[in-house]
Amino acid sequence: PVAQSNEKPVPLPPESTAVAQVKAYDPVDALEQLYDLRTPDSPVTVSLDKAEVKIGKGKLTFRIQSEKSGYLYILMVGTDKNHIYLLFPNALDRNNKVTGGKEISLPRPGWTMTAGGPPGINHFVALVSDHPREFSKVELSKAGAFSEFSALKVESLMRSHSGDSAVLAGTPLCTTTA
């Protein structure tokens, strides 16, 4: 005979498996950080001339207006979310000085931006700064006429970043007059 018990087995308490949940890196978050940390009293308006373009054929065009004068930077996350580009200024057009209240159109005559693949959504951010900026901390490299941010460097900086400045904002260059 086998001894039987009416007692129900008591489950063991779960082992402590508290593992820090690390949020998956998303380069769009780096662009959103630029937007979230913007100066609200200096709005920049950006309008795309076409919401949809055909890959390899459609031209990307923008109209931008800043309430303040400064230096314009346009950043984009590609449709594959593996690439973050500095579209403006670029090798074809380095004049990124804008006048407050005056609308500019990009691309200007002499250069074009053709939509690339794969199909999907591009994410853009326009930044106007009082001073020119440099991006050595996020390791820009040339990608044709444009520049590309190091995805590994941006991811590393985003994971370790804390503070009130955006990783992709670059740093202002000090301008001195002699």
Side-chain angles (χ1 to χ4, degrees):
V2 175
Q4 293 184 345
S5 170
N6 289 336
E7 293 179 29
K8 293 184 180 179
V10 177
L12 295 173
E15 291 182 35
S16 178
T17 56
V19 175
Q21 293 279 340
V22 177
K23 183 180 175 191
Y25 166 71
D26 182 354
V28 175
D29 290 343
L31 287 186
E32 287 177 356
Q33 187 183 62
L34 277 170
Y35 180 79
D36 292 343
L37 296 173
R38 73 193 182 284
T39 305
D41 62 343
S42 299
V44 177
T45 304
V46 178
S47 303
L48 288 170
D49 291 341
K50 293 180 191 174
E52 290 186 24
V53 291
K54 291 189 179 204
I55 295 173
K57 295 181 182 179
K59 307 291 183 208
L60 298 174
T61 56
F62 305 87
R63 285 175 284 117
I64 299 121
Q65 184 172 346
S66 172
E67 287 192 12
K68 69 175 188 171
S69 295
Y71 296 86
L72 174 65
Y73 298 88
I74 298 178
L75 292 79
M76 178 189 87
V77 172
T79 57
D80 63 3
K81 291 192 176 181
N82 292 322
H83 301 278
I84 305 172
Y85 299 99
L86 177 62
L87 296 180
F88 187 72
N90 57 56
L92 300 172
D93 191 347
R94 296 182 196 277
N95 179 15
N96 65 330
K97 184 89 169 122
V98 294
T99 303
K102 184 177 178 187
E103 184 177 87
I104 65 167
S105 294
L106 293 177
R108 291 191 265 231
W111 61 284
T112 59
M113 291 187 295
T114 303
I121 296 172
N122 288 307
H123 300 266
F124 299 90
V125 168
L127 164 72
V128 175
S129 173
D130 291 333
H131 301 283
R133 302 189 82 77
E134 64 92 20
F135 299 93
S136 62
K137 194 174 190 180
V138 285
E139 300 177 4
L140 273 180
S141 61
K142 295 293 176 198
F146 306 112
S147 295
E148 183 174 353
F149 293 92
S150 164
L152 292 174
K153 188 66 173 179
V154 172
E155 179 177 3
S156 171
L157 289 169
M158 287 293 291
R159 291 191 188 283
S160 65
H161 182 72
S162 62
D164 59 356
S165 65
V167 167
L168 290 176
T171 55
L173 291 173
C174 294
T175 54
T176 59
T177 55

